[in-house]
Each structure stands twice: as structure tokens, then as C-alpha cells.
């Protein structure tokens, strides 16, 4: 028997999950307990869990039974079939071993200057005379950081051209459609055919870039693509061009909008909490070189607390490949076990006053990986976690030390769904004062 859950039709559950995901998930937990079952049309049931012990059971469970790649299949037309996001089992582990070394925390200082330069250039472009959506500028920053740090392209015409191609291919579908298991129809004149054309154009550009990089191994470079070109798996094989192309797109898809959203939320939370902002500014003022922002304790706590109260994605999913006994229930194969990031972050038994934005709670505390999970967990935990945390700290340091901002309209800034991410409504509208 599945755990209890809402009895309304699955289409209505989809509407609720899309339109007001967070209050709706909270209602479900209040009414039905933990775990509870959600049904969306065309999908097997989703069993949501929030207690740290249950989340631990999912994240440390048998990888042969709990597959994430299958649950991400909707992303295949965009990221490509070689993407780490779509793989499970041994092929997934091989791909993670290849991708992890360039993304480890200790490598991040190589990107400090680049991130600070990109952020400072974007600060200069922000309008001085009118309110504006900060999110657009954060997206521009995270796109340029990925182009330069991951793809290794330098300023100039090729970078502008590639940026435009990537922006075209990333244009999101309406949020509701993203969760309907629609079969894409590839017929002349269809939006999907047009998308496939844009995807093929991007792939050609990336293949040209990869071939050029292979042909002319210049002086040692720090970008992630260059490091991946030299990576070898356990059998001594390098990554193929198709794999590299798909993983570059994966890192863009997984890292661009998410990090920009985290940055927009951090500023929204800080502008709603002036005393916290004052304390942060005092800490930022102790640093002269932007690389120093990465080592600041309060800034680190601000970023972690932002990702706790405003997680970018509300849940992660593992699909059962075999029946499994879980929390006293016999779950059939096919069920999606779903650690709920939002509910885990709002547990009063773990976080005092869980709805309050209070970075102090993370000072001198190592977050529990089963109670603080904005990057998911287990063998699927976000490969870009160190990168994203580092980038967020540097960008916030540069932006907040150069600008005085205020919200364009009184807060709190509402949560809105942008396909899979939960973003600030209006893109955090601010003005420079
Ligand atoms: C604040 C920013 C970010 C957030 C909140 C975020 C969140 C996540 C989450 C929740 C997952 C799924 C984990 C799971 O299923 O347990 C994930 C996976 C992933 N993320 Fe991120 N991410 C961020 C930034 C990035 C960046 C910057 C990159 C790359 C440079 C990246 C690359 C990936 C990859 C490759 C995966 C797939 C891992 C796998 O399937 O093994 N992410 N991310």
C-alpha cells in the first residue's frame, strides 16, 4: 500500500504543484504525514519524504534500485543522451568520475579573477536611473562565467555568437507543459522541430570548438573543457566529442539558471533583512582581493541560509527499479521516491523558527546532509555544488560591495515557478540608491 495523499484528480494535483508548489506541499505534509503520495497525470506515483532519517535511507539506498537518470529523461532532447543526468548504474559512475576532478572545491580559486571580472562588468551595465529585474543581470553573469570557466571561450565575437546560440536553445517551455509527459512531435513547422534545429546548431558549434581545442593544445589552460579533454576513465579511454558536447550542455542547463536564481534570492532575502545586510557589508569590507570573499564565514552562512529558505528546486527524484519496503510501506517498482528539499528545510525539529531567514544558524555548524539538501544527495549530489557556492559568494561580494540596492516594491518577494526552478517573482526588482 502506498502512503496516503491527496484524493483530488491527478490533473488538479498537477495544477497545484505547478501554481503554488510550496504551500501545497506543506498542506500535503500536514494532512497526510511523512511520507505522502502525490499523483501527476501520466506518471507513476511520487512518494514524498522529508524526515532526515527517511532522506538518508533514499540517499544511501541501493543504486541498482534507486535510479535518477530515468526520472530525468524529459531533458534528453536538450542535454543529449550521453549526459550524466540521464545515466544510471556503472555508466553514471564512470561519467561522474570523469567530470568530478575539475569541479572539486580546491580548484575553484583558479576562477576567482574571472568571476570577479564578469560580476564587476555586469554591475557597470545595471541601470542607474530606474528599477530593474536583478535576475536578468545574474543570468548574464552566470552565463558568462560558464562560457569562460567551463567552455573556456574568451571575450570577443565567438563568445557573443556562442552565447546567443545557447540562449536560443535554453528558451524554457511554459511551466505546466514541462511536467506533462507529452510526446514531442517532430513534424515540419512544429515548435519541437524548430528546437531540434537550434539544438543541432549549438551541437555543431560545440563540436567545432572541441575539435579546435584538440588540434591546438595551447599553453596549459584552467577551463573545465580543457581538463576534461585530458581526462581518462578506469580503462584509460578519453571522453568522445559527443560526450563532451552533451556534458558541456548539461553543465550549462544544470548550472546557469540555478545559480542565477540562488543569487537573485540571496539579494532578495538580504534586502528584506537590513540588519543582516549591514552585518554582511561589515564583513565584506574586511576583504580587499575578491578571492577573499570565498573565505568569509558570514557570507558563507548567508548563502547556505538562502538556499535553505529558498531552495532552487523543491525536490529530487529516484525511480524504483524493483519493489521496495520503505518506511513501513511496500512500494511497487516504478514509484518515484522523492526527497522533498523544501519540506526538509522547514522542519521545526531541525531548524528553530524554520521560516525565518537567519544566517547565524549556520555559523560554526556543518550542515547535516540529510536536513540541508539544496544540491540533492548521495551519488547524485550536484556535481557543481562547490562551483555554485564559490560563484555565489564571489558575485555577492562584488555586487554588494559596489552597490547600494533596495527592493523596487516592499517585500517579501513572492516565489514563482520557472519550469523546474522556484524563482523570485519579477526577478527580484530592485533599484540602485
Ligand atoms: C545554486 C546552484 C545549483 C543548484 C541549487 C543545483 C542543484 C542540483 C540538484 C538538486 C541536483 C540533483 C541532485 C540529486 O538528484 O540528488 C543537481 C545535479 C547536478 N548539477 Fe547542480 N545545482 C546548481 C549548480 C550547478 C552547477 C554550477 C553545475 C555545473 C557547473 C551543476 C551541475 C550539475 C550536474 C552535472 C548534476 C547531475 C549530477 C548527477 O546526476 O550525478 N549544478 N544540481
Amino acid at each position: 500500500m502506498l502512503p496516503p495523499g491527496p484524493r483530488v484528480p491527478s490533473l488538479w494535483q498537477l495544477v497545484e504543484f505547478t501554481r503554488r508548489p510550496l504551500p501545497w506541499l506543506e498542506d500535503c505534509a500536514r494532512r497526510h504525514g511523512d511520507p505522502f503520495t502525490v499523483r501527476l497525470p501520466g506518471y507513476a506515483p511520487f512518494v514524498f519524504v522529508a524526515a532526515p532519517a527517511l532522506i538518508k535511507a533514499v540517499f544511501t539506498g541501493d543504486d541498482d534500485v534507486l535510479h535518477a537518470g530515468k526520472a530525468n529523461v524529459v531533458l534528453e532532447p536538450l542535454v543529449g543522451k550521453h549526459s550524466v543526468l540521464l545515466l544510471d548504474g556503472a555508466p553514471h559512475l564512470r561519467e561522474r568520475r570523469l567530470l568530478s576532478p575539475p569541479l572539486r572545491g580546491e580548484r575553484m580559486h583558479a576562477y576567482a579573477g574571472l568571476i570577479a571580472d564578469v560580476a564587476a562588468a555586469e554591475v557597470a551595465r545595471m541601470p542607474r536611473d530606474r528599477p530593474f529585474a536583478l535576475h536578468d543581470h545574474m543570468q548574464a553573469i552566470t552565463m558568462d562565467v560558464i562560457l569562460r570557466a567551463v567552455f573556456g571561450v574568451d571575450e570577443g565575437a565567438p563568445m557573443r555568437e556562442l552565447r546567443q546560440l545557447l540562449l536560443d536553445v535554453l528558451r524554457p517551455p511554459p511551466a505546466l507543459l514541462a511536467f506533462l509527459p507529452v510526446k514531442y512531435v517532430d513534424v515540419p513547422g512544429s515548435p519541437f522541430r524548430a528546437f531540434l534545429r537550434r539544438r543541432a546548431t549549438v551541437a555543431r558549434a560545440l563540436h567545432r570548438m572541441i575539435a579546435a581545442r584538440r588540434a591546438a593544445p595551447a599553453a596549459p589552460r584552467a577551463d573545465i573543457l580543457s581538463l576534461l579533454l585530458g581526462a581518462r576513465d578506469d580503462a584509460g579511454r578519453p571522453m568522445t566529442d559527443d560526450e563532451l558536447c552533451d556534458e558541456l550542455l548539461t553543465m550549462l542547463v544544470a548550472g546557469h539558471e540555478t545559480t542565477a536564481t540562488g543569487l537573485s534570492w540571496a539579494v532578495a532575502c538580504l534586502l528584506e533583512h537590513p540588519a543582516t545586510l549591514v552585518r554582511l557589508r561589515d564583513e565584506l569590507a574586511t576583504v580587499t582581493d575578491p578571492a577573499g570573499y570565498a573565505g568569509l564565514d558570514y557570507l558563507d552562512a548567508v548563502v547556505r541560509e538562502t538556499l535553505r529558505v529558498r531552495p532552487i528546486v523543491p525536490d529530487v527524484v529516484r525511480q524504483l527499479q524493483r519493489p521496495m519496503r520503505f518506511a513501513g510501506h511496500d512500494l511497487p517498482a516504478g514509484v518515484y521516491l522523492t526527497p522533498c528539499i523544501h519540506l526538509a528545510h522547514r522542519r521545526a525539529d531541525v531548524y528553530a523558527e524554520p521560516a525565518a531567514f537567519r544566517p547565524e544558524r549556520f555559523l560554526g555548524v556543518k550542515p547535516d546532509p540529510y536536513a540541508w539538501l539544496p544540491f540533492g544527495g548521495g551519488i547524485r549530489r550536484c556535481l557543481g555544488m562547490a562551483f555554485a557556492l564559490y560563484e555565489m559568494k564571489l558575485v555577492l561580494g562584488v555586487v554588494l560591495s559596489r552597490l547600494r540596492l533596495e527592493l523596487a516594491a516592499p517585500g517579501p518577494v513572492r516565489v514563482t515557478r520557472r519550469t523546474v526552478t522556484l524563482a523570485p517573482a519579477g526577478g527580484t526588482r530592485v533599484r540602485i540608491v
Side-chain angles (χ1 to χ4, degrees), residues 283-304:
E283 192 192 44
L284 295 177
T286 62
V287 163
T288 43
D289 177 356
Y293 294 136
L296 297 178
D297 291 338
Y298 197 64
L299 177 57
D300 183 71
V302 164
V303 168
R304 286 176 197 274

Side-chain angles (χ1 to χ4, degrees), residues 85 92 96 254-255 258-259 312-313 316 318 374-377 380 382 384 388:
L85 278 167
H92 170 252
R96 265 189 89 98
T258 46
T259 312
I312 317 301
V313 290
V316 291
R318 307 288 184 262
F375 297 96
R380 305 301 299 218
C382 175

Side-chain angles (χ1 to χ4, degrees), residues 227-240:
L227 298 170
L228 291 179
L229 283 167
R232 298 291 177 269
D233 67 11
D234 291 346
R237 280 170 312 187
M239 293 173 78
T240 65

Side-chain angles (χ1 to χ4, degrees), residues 141-161:
I141 292 174
T142 59
M143 170 62 91
D144 280 10
V145 166
I146 290 183
L147 280 169
R148 294 178 59 181
V150 179
F151 291 37
V153 276
D154 299 320
E155 289 293 356
M159 175 158 155
R160 283 197 294 276
E161 204 175 299

